[in-house]
Amino acid sequence: RRGPVLPNVSVAQWLFSTRSMVSIARSALARAFFIIFFISFGFFEPQRARRAYRAAGADILLANTFGANRYKLEDWAPRSAELIAAGVRLAKEAAENCAWVALDIGSTGKLLKPYGDLDFEDAYAAYADQIEAGTAAGADLIVIETMSDIYE
């Protein structure tokens, strides 16, 4: 195929543009809760958003794995591989063999030393775990986004 390759964009933006669950998210606080809880944990029917992006011509669908690292998952960290596999599987279902699925990797939410308390080696290990789980689950590529530190 020739021409540009188009990824899906913000699922949160899609939700608000379609007015899905907007009645829950009227205030800034409710909106913040909505984005953190529903988007992070995929409770808002992410398949609907992915299928809409696929129908619009997206060639790459992002798996719901943006915050799936040991630091953001905290108590859920032991199940991170399972959660990542589920995110990749759902994106693959929505792709219907017509789009690539990207393992979506975001920041740990911590600052690396000397500005914070996270060692480079620990951040590296967290990302390695996430990448290993995503590739084992069948992700076609990796998207790294929203990093505030180039070393992260």
Side-chain angles (χ1 to χ4, degrees), residues 72-100:
K72 287 208 173 165
L73 290 175
E74 297 176 352
D75 293 340
W76 288 82
R79 297 184 64 189
S80 63
E82 178 185 348
L83 296 170
I84 290 168
V88 170
R89 179 182 50 77
L90 290 169
K92 287 238 177 226
E93 287 174 10
E96 299 174 337
N97 294 319
C98 295
W100 290 307

Side-chain angles (χ1 to χ4, degrees), residues 6-15 17-18 20 38-68 83-105 139-140 145:
L6 303 173
N8 73 245
V9 291
S10 171
V11 173
Q13 182 64 40
W14 176 86
L15 277 173
S17 72
T18 61
S20 297
F38 287 90
I39 306 256
S40 295
F41 296 101
F43 291 130
F44 66 88
E45 299 182 44
Q47 295 305 75
R48 186 172 159 213
R50 287 192 191 101
R51 286 191 179 106
Y53 279 122
R54 181 64 204 121
D59 299 302
I60 301 170
L61 299 181
L62 301 180
N64 191 16
T65 57
F66 178 79
L83 296 170
I84 290 168
V88 170
R89 179 182 50 77
L90 290 169
K92 287 238 177 226
E93 287 174 10
E96 299 174 337
N97 294 319
C98 295
W100 290 307
V101 169
L103 175 69
D104 192 12
I105 295 181
D140 300 307
E145 61 171 319

Side-chain angles (χ1 to χ4, degrees), residues 96-136:
E96 299 174 337
N97 294 319
C98 295
W100 290 307
V101 169
L103 175 69
D104 192 12
I105 295 181
S107 170
T108 61
K110 297 193 170 283
L111 293 174
L112 293 172
K113 289 181 179 178
Y115 305 107
D117 61 353
L118 184 61
D119 287 317
F120 175 83
E121 293 78 15
D122 294 334
Y124 182 93
Y127 290 126
D129 290 345
Q130 195 174 3
I131 290 168
E132 287 172 12
T135 55

Side-chain angles (χ1 to χ4, degrees), residues 5-33:
V5 176
L6 303 173
N8 73 245
V9 291
S10 171
V11 173
Q13 182 64 40
W14 176 86
L15 277 173
F16 285 107
S17 72
T18 61
R19 308 261 188 251
S20 297
M21 298 185 73
V22 170
S23 61
I24 295 174
R26 294 256 185 236
S27 73
L29 181 60
R31 234 183 342 269
F33 172 79

